Amino acid sequence: MLYPKLSSVISDINAVAMGDAKADLLLKNCSLVNVYTREILPSTDIAISKQRVAYVGDDASHTKGEKTAVIDLEGKYVTPGFADPHVHIDQFVLPSEFAKKALLCGVTSLFSDPIDIVSVCGYRGFREFLNLCSNLPIRIFNVVPGGLPVDRKFSHSRTLSAAQTKAAIKLSSVLGLGEVFSWTKVTNRDSKTMKTISTMLDNDCIINGHTAGASGKKLNAYVSSGILSCHEPINYDQVIERLRLGMWIMVREGSIRRDLKEIIPSVLSSRVFTDRLMFCSDGLDPVDIDKYGHINYCVKEAIKLGVEPIEAIAMASKNCFDYYNMGRDLGGIAPGKLADMLVFDSLDELKPHKVFVGGKLVVSNGSIVTQIKKHIIPKWIKKTVKLKKFSENDFVVKCKTTVANANTINLKTEIVTEKGTAQLATKDGNVLPSPDKDIWKVAAFDRTYGSKKGTVGFLTNFGSQIGAFASTWAFHENDLIVIGSNESDMAVAANNLIKTQGGMTVVKDGKTLASLPMQLGGIISTDPFEKVSSNFVNLNSTIVDSGCRFSKPHLIPLFLPFLALPDIRILYSGIIDVKKRSYLPVLS
């Protein structure tokens, strides 16, 4: 949702403030949570005109006209709308579907890093994603992905050229550069990375950071390059080192990592100023946003841990917009600010009774009360699994001996891997997996460019008694990943995803046990949120109930090609030892 510049409406809201013109909306008898003075102001009136606050005070009767809509809030609490300063919404559901859930949680602004849709569809996909984010009753700001390619030696993800990047940052909803998570490219002064950063700084753009593992001189070099935020700290020591260097910290509480309870108590005990602390999700799956909520959950949990309610609300609102240099327009309730406001019965439950965006009521009594635009999705972006039908032979690992020594990818968690070895039997020149020893075949195929080039290796410690699990959603590389106990089911699973043009599927004995179609770019479902959530729950529970060792198995194919983490990863081009930056043979 774009908004009129303050300069274009100053005469209008000035006139309303003086009583020379009348407000569009008048909220009476509010308990205003003022994030500027850190106080709650009872019996406050708020007058709104042209999407912005025109007057705040104990009596706004002079702004009331015949056409002014008046709502008596009877002492209910009014806060600024919440923001998620770093979230990936090019996952699971369309932006319009995510917007519904976010608004119900009081989140009126999302700062999106669409790195995965760009890795599949490039600049064309970036522009189409911006279109999907437009004309919704929520503010969605985007950044140019800052982490592609992850490693030029191995990555084959699409990205934006220098010319496309310059064009992108001129777009009204684009604020700058997304998380620069390959921070060694900064400390090593990689020429392309430094040129991109310079372009951002020259255009007064924000650059989001990602400094996991960086400290000392490396962290100093990173910060000195103009990158002033990080959502990766997992404890107080990492937080305070970054704060002391002038960084802003996004305390992460999302579906992959939850760091709030580790960080907040130490921040409180050390009496650190919270004006550079924010909450972010980094991404939420359908189950978690339904179960916990969004940024409202972060505020509630922070208050439980001892943060003063107004401080927690400021962390969820004012601090975010101060970081993004948008404090003139957003972040608080004051004259001239955009009227993004939440109404709460109490500051304990933090379930918004009403949500206003630009002075328009979008949520009331737990329901969306405004229309959500349905965008027309072009056919090309739903045809990104460019592969032909698979057969069992595509999953054969050839060997001339009766016994083979294999290098394996051992799962320590859904995300963390390590190198292993195994001795495996062969049959008819094919190295066999060993379900009894929990040794699986794992394959990666180039589905983005359609070369059908692929690698078949071996995976251990998966544990589930299924035939195959396949996914087209894999962070930043987006190969087709297939894990299987036999070649037949692996072929069926892969072919399922060719048919649906993306998603995740579970197969056993040739039958599909569960599926989550993701038709857009192979990473986003075009189905309604409720259907996606149901499919997601069924897929994970099917794998877990069949004996998987991990509670969130959908993360396994998501991270198997992820080059930003050690130790062993798989791409269509081969098995990769990330630390050594070298290929590892499948058979040793």
Side-chain angles (χ1 to χ4, degrees):
M1 175 185 280
L2 297 177
Y3 50 85
K5 290 184 177 181
L6 178 59
S7 60
S8 69
V9 296
I10 54 173
S11 293
D12 300 284
I13 60 177
N14 182 311
V16 172
M18 291 297 296
D20 299 328
K22 301 308 175 185
D24 300 323
L25 172 66
L26 175 58
L27 302 181
K28 293 186 63 63
N29 194 23
C30 310
S31 294
L32 173 63
V33 177
N34 193 310
V35 295
Y36 300 111
T37 59
R38 302 298 200 267
E39 58 185 336
I40 296 175
L41 304 175
S43 302
T44 299
D45 290 355
I46 305 169
I48 296 156
S49 178
K50 305 293 184 182
Q51 300 187 40
R52 293 180 182 265
V53 175
Y55 178 89
V56 178
D58 56 8
D59 183 8
S61 58
H62 64 290
T63 70
K64 179 184 174 183
E66 292 182 2
K67 296 182 180 180
T68 302
V70 180
I71 302 176
D72 187 343
L73 290 179
E74 301 176 337
K76 290 183 172 64
Y77 296 91
V78 179
T79 78
F82 296 156
D84 189 337
H86 177 70
V87 60
H88 299 282
I89 60 171
D90 54 338
Q91 303 174 352
F92 292 111
V93 295
L94 292 167
S96 56
E97 292 294 305
F98 189 86
K100 296 176 187 177
K101 293 295 179 179
L103 286 168
L104 290 171
C105 297
V107 177
T108 56
S109 293
L110 299 167
F111 293 84
S112 156
D113 187 341
I115 188 168
D116 284 313
I117 197 65
V118 169
S119 70
V120 178
C121 301
Y123 185 59
R124 190 183 185 192
F126 180 75
R127 292 299 301 267
E128 186 56 42
F129 188 76
L130 263 57
N131 181 54
L132 294 173
C133 293
S134 66
N135 298 316
L136 297 175
I138 192 170
R139 303 191 196 282
I140 303 180
F141 306 97
N142 282 277
V143 290
V144 175
L148 299 175
V150 181
D151 187 329
R152 292 189 185 93
K153 181 176 179 179
F154 305 110
S155 294
H156 65 125
S157 59
R158 288 191 166 98
T159 186
L160 271 59
S161 68
Q164 289 169 339
T165 295
K166 289 180 179 178
I169 59 177
K170 293 179 181 178
L171 302 172
S172 58
S173 64
V174 178
L175 303 179
L177 191 64
E179 56 179 314
V180 184
F181 57 78
S182 296
W183 55 261
T184 55
K185 290 182 181 177
V186 180
T187 58
N188 293 332
R189 297 175 294 284
D190 171 76
S191 60
K192 289 186 178 179
T193 301
M194 301 309 278
K195 187 174 182 180
T196 300
I197 291 174
S198 294
T199 296
M200 296 297 159
L201 296 176
D202 285 342
N203 287 274
D204 296 321
C205 291
I206 282 289
I207 308 172
N208 287 330
H210 177 124
T211 61
S215 62
K217 65 180 183 180
K218 294 176 180 178
L219 184 60
N220 273 266
Y222 190 86
V223 175
S224 71
S225 301
I227 310 171
L228 299 179
S229 73
C230 187
H231 60 277
E232 288 295 325
I234 62 173
N235 57 46
Y236 175 75
D237 289 342
Q238 294 175 7
V239 168
I240 195 64
E241 182 181 12
R242 284 153 179 77
L243 287 176
R244 285 169 176 162
L245 297 179
M247 296 189 83
W248 299 71
I249 302 300
M250 302 173 183
V251 180
R252 179 169 48 191
E253 191 73 7
S255 291
I256 294 178
R257 281 205 61 92
R258 295 190 174 274
D259 302 316
L260 190 149
K261 290 182 180 179
E262 181 66 29
I263 291 172
I264 293 299
S266 297
V267 166
L268 289 172
S269 64
S270 301
R271 298 185 179 182
V272 173
F273 287 135
T274 62
D275 57 346
R276 283 181 174 251
L277 296 181
M278 303 168 266
F279 305 114
C280 83
S281 71
D282 200 15
L284 288 167
D285 66 44
V287 171
D288 282 352
I289 197 169
D290 266 342
K291 181 178 179 180
Y292 299 106
H294 194 173
I295 298 300
N296 60 325
Y297 174 77
C298 300
V299 176
K300 183 168 64 175
E301 290 301 299
I303 293 171
K304 284 182 181 179
L305 291 169
V307 178
E308 289 295 326
I310 305 177
E311 292 288 335
I313 290 166
M315 289 168 65
S317 54
K318 178 182 180 294
N319 296 3
C320 304
F321 295 106
D322 285 349
Y323 164 68
Y324 278 104
N325 297 321
M326 300 170 72
R328 184 171 62 186
D329 292 313
L330 290 156
I333 299 172
K337 301 292 189 293
L338 287 157
D340 293 3
M341 302 176 296
L342 313 179
V343 179
F344 295 101
D345 291 333
S346 77
L347 298 183
D348 296 324
E349 287 301 315
L350 284 169
K351 185 175 182 180
H353 178 77
K354 295 183 186 298
V355 177
F356 296 88
V357 179
K360 180 180 180 181
L361 184 65
V362 296
V363 172
S364 182
N365 297 318
S367 298
I368 300 290
V369 293
T370 187
Q371 286 189 334
I372 305 288
K373 179 179 178 179
K374 289 187 177 180
H375 292 83
I376 297 173
I377 300 171
K379 291 182 180 179
W380 69 266
I381 205 168
K382 295 192 287 185
K383 294 182 179 180
T384 61
V385 184
K386 300 174 182 178
L387 292 167
K388 295 181 179 179
K389 188 174 181 180
F390 284 87
S391 70
E392 294 181 33
N393 289 335
D394 292 308
F395 300 94
V396 166
V397 177
K398 294 180 180 180
C399 181
K400 295 180 180 180
T401 60
T402 56
V403 176
N405 293 314
N407 289 311
T408 64
I409 304 172
N410 182 54
L411 294 172
K412 297 178 70 176
T413 70
E414 296 101 325
I415 299 170
V416 180
T417 64
E418 64 182 359
K419 180 180 176 293
T421 58
Q423 194 173 75
L424 297 169
T426 66
K427 182 179 180 181
D428 300 327
N430 174 34
V431 183
L432 302 175
S434 179
D436 292 341
K437 296 180 180 179
D438 199 9
I439 301 173
W440 298 68
K441 280 193 170 177
V442 59
F445 291 92
D446 166 28
R447 61 93 172 177
T448 305
Y449 296 91
S451 68
K452 206 179 178 179
K453 292 179 180 178
T455 296
V456 182
F458 295 92
L459 181 79
T460 62
N461 205 34
F462 180 59
S464 187
Q465 300 301 308
I466 58 171
F469 174 32
S471 174
T472 56
W473 180 29
F475 278 154
H476 312 336
E477 306 301 333
N478 290 298
D479 286 342
L480 168 65
I481 303 294
V482 189
I483 300 167
S485 61
N486 65 86
E487 294 84 357
S488 177
D489 280 344
M490 293 177 81
V492 172
N495 290 330
N496 281 354
L497 297 186
I498 295 174
K499 185 176 181 180
T500 62
Q501 277 299 291
M504 298 182 178
T505 187
V506 182
V507 171
K508 185 174 182 179
D509 298 328
K511 297 180 180 179
T512 301
L513 303 182
S515 65
L516 172 57
M518 291 175 161
Q519 307 91 332
L520 196 157
I523 62 175
I524 301 171
S525 178
T526 57
D527 295 327
F529 183 96
E530 291 72 21
K531 185 176 181 180
V532 176
S533 182
S534 176
N535 287 338
F536 176 67
V537 170
N538 184 46
L539 182 130
N540 266 334
S541 62
T542 296
I543 300 171
V544 171
D545 292 346
S546 296
C548 184
R549 301 181 188 281
F550 306 105
S551 61
K552 293 187 174 184
H554 75 282
L555 294 176
I556 296 171
L558 192 61
F559 279 93
L560 274 173
F562 189 56
L563 295 172
L565 288 176
D567 281 341
I568 310 301
R569 303 290 157 187
I570 184 171
L571 292 178
Y572 82 95
S573 57
I575 310 292
I576 296 165
D577 185 320
V578 175
K579 287 184 177 179
K580 294 181 179 179
R581 296 189 72 233
S582 62
Y583 285 105
L584 190 68
V586 173
L587 302 179
S588 56

